């Protein structure tokens, strides 16, 4: 089976490509390399440097490599940036995503897997959050992903292109070979690990006055290999649908810092900072649907294991991929 992976040089894309190749799929990666890393592309994958918004580039790949299914990771994904520059998010995520989807449907691609997000829900009114929870995104990033999900629903109805939208909660961890290297880095675990290596002097905790047991925000962290495996299960499951991917267990910012201290053996300096705009107090997934319908079961549910793999990768790659 031939799979096109958009954004396969990025964090979650690179680990998914690795899993696909380990399971003998043939993989073509398209990546603009704006945020991706050449070194993150598995050597057994074919890399096309290009933009998913170019109909010709996408059509050539679909034809030349006889693509059966598309896994779509390529997107801008910073909540804060999306508030400052919504046009960028609607253009890159929605306009370019639509070109990709339309070209895939025109070329008879029968399966489309979308990297979506918990940010489609907005402020939750129920925990754990089921897929039936209302969608009320509080930022253009979440809105852009929700728009792609809606387009896919109609494409399925009219063109018969089956789709799976996977709403990730907080991706973290690393495989032996591929890990998280963002510039700028905004995610909690890599930032706390930078404080452990001394690259950062301290970690800012964005608010300790939330209505949670220790006052800091609670998130559902999920290992990147578990996310990758869900994509492959989705590839092999008939029908269309939307699934949450999380552990169903929440950890506070302070608990994450404590886990990093345990794993690394280093004391982390902490500064309490003001709340970050738009942060819900608690985001925890119900992944019952993915477990039941996709047969998905996280292999790395323990926070120490998740942090441990990220730490190993960071120690082996202190400057990340160093290819920029
Ligand atoms: N945090 C800090 N200090 C930091 C960085 C983060 O205290 O320096 C806190 C945040 O306030 C938040 C938690 O750590 O409470 C996790 O923050 P991340 O930035 O790591 O992740 P988010 O939960 O904000 O974002 C993730 C995904 C987004 C997605 C969102 C869904 O990265 O793509 O979940 O709500 F949109």
């Amino acid at each position: 089976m031939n799979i096109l992976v958009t954004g396969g040089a990025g964090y979650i894309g690179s680990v998914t490509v690795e899993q696909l190749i380990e399971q003998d799929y043939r993989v073509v990666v398209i990546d603009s390399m704006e945020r991706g890393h050449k070194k993150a592309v598995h050597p057994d994958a074919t890399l096309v440097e290009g933009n998913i918004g170019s109909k010709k580039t996408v059509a050539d790949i679909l034809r030349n490599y006889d693509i059966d299914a598309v896994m779509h990771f390529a997107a801008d994904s910073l909540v804060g940036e999306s508030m400052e520059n919504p046009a960028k998010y609607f253009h890159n995520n929605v306009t370019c995503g639509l070109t990709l989807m339309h070209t895939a449907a025109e070329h008879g691609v029968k399966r489309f897997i979308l990297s979506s997000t918990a940010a489609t829900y907005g402020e939750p009114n129920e925990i754990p959050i089921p897929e039936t929870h209302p969608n009320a995104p509080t930022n253009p990033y979440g809105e852009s992903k929700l728009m792609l999900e809606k387009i896919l629903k109609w494409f399925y109805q009219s063109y018969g292109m089956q789709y799976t939208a996977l709403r990730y909660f907080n991706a973290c961890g690393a495989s032996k070979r591929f890990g998280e290297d963002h510039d700028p880095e905004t995610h909690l675990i890599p930032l706390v690990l930078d404080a452990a290596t001394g690259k950062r002097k301290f970690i800012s905790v964005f608010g300790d006055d939330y209505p949670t047991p220790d006052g800091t925000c609670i998130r559902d962290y999920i290992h990147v290999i578990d996310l990758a495996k869900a994509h492959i299960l989705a590839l092999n499951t008939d029908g269309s649908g939307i699934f949450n991917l999380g552990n169903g267990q929440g950890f506070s910012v302070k608990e994450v810092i404590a886990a990093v201290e345990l794993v690394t053996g280093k004391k982390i300096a902490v500064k309490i900072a003001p709340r970050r705009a738009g942060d819900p107090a608690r985001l925890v997934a119900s992944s019952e649907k993915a477990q039941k319908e996709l047969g998905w079961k996280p292999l790395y549910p323990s926070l120490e294991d998740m942090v441990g793999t990220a730490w190993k990768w960071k120690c082996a790659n202190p400057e990340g991929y160093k290819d920029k």
Side-chain angles (χ1 to χ4, degrees):
M1 206 176 184
N2 302 328
I3 318 291
L4 173 61
V5 179
T6 76
Y11 172 42
I12 305 171
S14 64
V15 175
T16 305
V17 169
E18 182 182 37
Q19 289 289 322
L20 283 165
I21 284 171
E22 280 176 13
Q23 296 190 31
D24 292 330
Y25 290 93
R26 280 181 298 274
V27 179
V28 180
V29 166
I30 179 169
D31 201 296
S32 68
M33 290 300 158
E34 202 184 310
R35 284 188 167 142
H37 303 274
K38 271 200 180 144
K39 287 185 184 161
V41 179
H42 194 289
D44 294 347
T46 302
L47 171 63
V48 177
E49 264 188 68
N51 198 299
I52 56 159
S54 160
K55 198 171 176 77
K56 182 178 177 334
T57 308
V58 173
D60 285 350
I61 296 173
L62 296 174
R63 210 177 309 112
N64 295 343
Y65 297 97
D66 198 12
I67 296 295
D68 300 295
V70 174
M71 290 189 182
H72 178 35
F73 296 90
D76 288 325
S77 61
L78 299 175
V79 168
E81 185 188 52
S82 81
M83 297 291 279
E84 282 159 25
N85 194 352
K88 180 179 180 197
Y89 278 69
F90 291 119
H91 178 75
N92 289 350
N93 293 1
V94 184
T95 310
C96 297
L98 173 59
T99 301
L100 171 76
M101 290 169 180
H102 189 186
T103 314
E106 281 176 339
H107 283 76
V109 167
K110 287 284 170 247
R111 197 141 245 314
F112 195 101
I113 298 175
L114 173 70
S115 160
S116 190
T117 171
T120 50
Y121 295 114
E123 190 72 46
N125 53 31
E126 146 182 31
I127 294 284
I129 306 173
E131 289 84 353
T132 48
H133 186 285
N135 295 119
T138 52
N139 53 69
Y141 166 62
E143 190 79 68
S144 72
K145 291 284 184 168
L146 186 60
M147 288 163 104
L148 293 180
E149 290 185 358
K150 288 184 176 172
I151 294 169
L152 282 174
K153 189 188 89 176
W154 293 109
F155 275 28
Y156 174 45
Q157 188 151 315
S158 300
Y159 307 138
M161 185 168 76
Q162 293 191 355
Y163 75 95
T164 309
L166 299 173
R167 292 180 175 165
Y168 314 153
F169 281 64
N170 288 64
C172 65
S175 72
K176 280 204 182 78
R177 205 162 171 175
F178 304 114
E180 196 166 5
D181 179 7
H182 295 122
D183 185 18
E185 187 53 77
T186 60
H187 293 116
L188 179 65
I189 292 178
L191 289 174
V192 184
L193 291 176
D194 281 344
T197 62
K199 194 169 166 193
R200 273 168 204 276
K201 289 203 164 53
F202 60 88
I203 182 79
S204 299
V205 171
F206 298 145
D208 67 349
D209 57 352
Y210 283 94
T212 59
D214 67 18
T216 65
C217 286
I218 290 177
R219 293 290 180 272
D220 186 337
Y221 294 89
I222 177 78
H223 198 284
V224 65
I225 292 179
D226 285 324
L227 290 181
K229 286 188 184 294
H231 290 74
I232 301 176
L233 290 169
L235 194 61
N236 293 297
T237 305
D238 258 353
S240 288
I242 294 172
F243 298 90
N244 286 338
L245 296 178
N247 273 306
Q249 207 186 346
F251 295 102
S252 72
V253 174
K254 283 187 178 165
E255 285 173 324
V256 169
I257 296 169
V260 171
E261 288 184 329
L262 191 77
V263 165
T264 63
K266 316 261 184 200
K267 182 87 193 119
I268 308 293
V270 169
K271 282 194 186 169
I272 304 299
R275 288 182 177 198
R276 188 173 67 177
D279 268 344
R282 197 187 283 258
L283 284 176
V284 178
S286 161
S287 294
E288 259 178 48
K289 189 179 172 200
Q291 306 216 9
K292 219 184 276 167
E293 294 182 25
L294 302 179
W296 181 69
K297 190 168 176 9
L299 298 174
Y300 301 93
S302 124
L303 182 60
E304 280 78 24
D305 286 351
M306 291 189 266
V307 168
T309 60
W311 177 238
K312 265 198 191 141
W313 193 81
K314 186 146 291 238
C315 292
N317 306 274
E319 302 302 326
Y321 288 107
K322 275 201 300 196
D323 60 353
K324 289 284 175 190

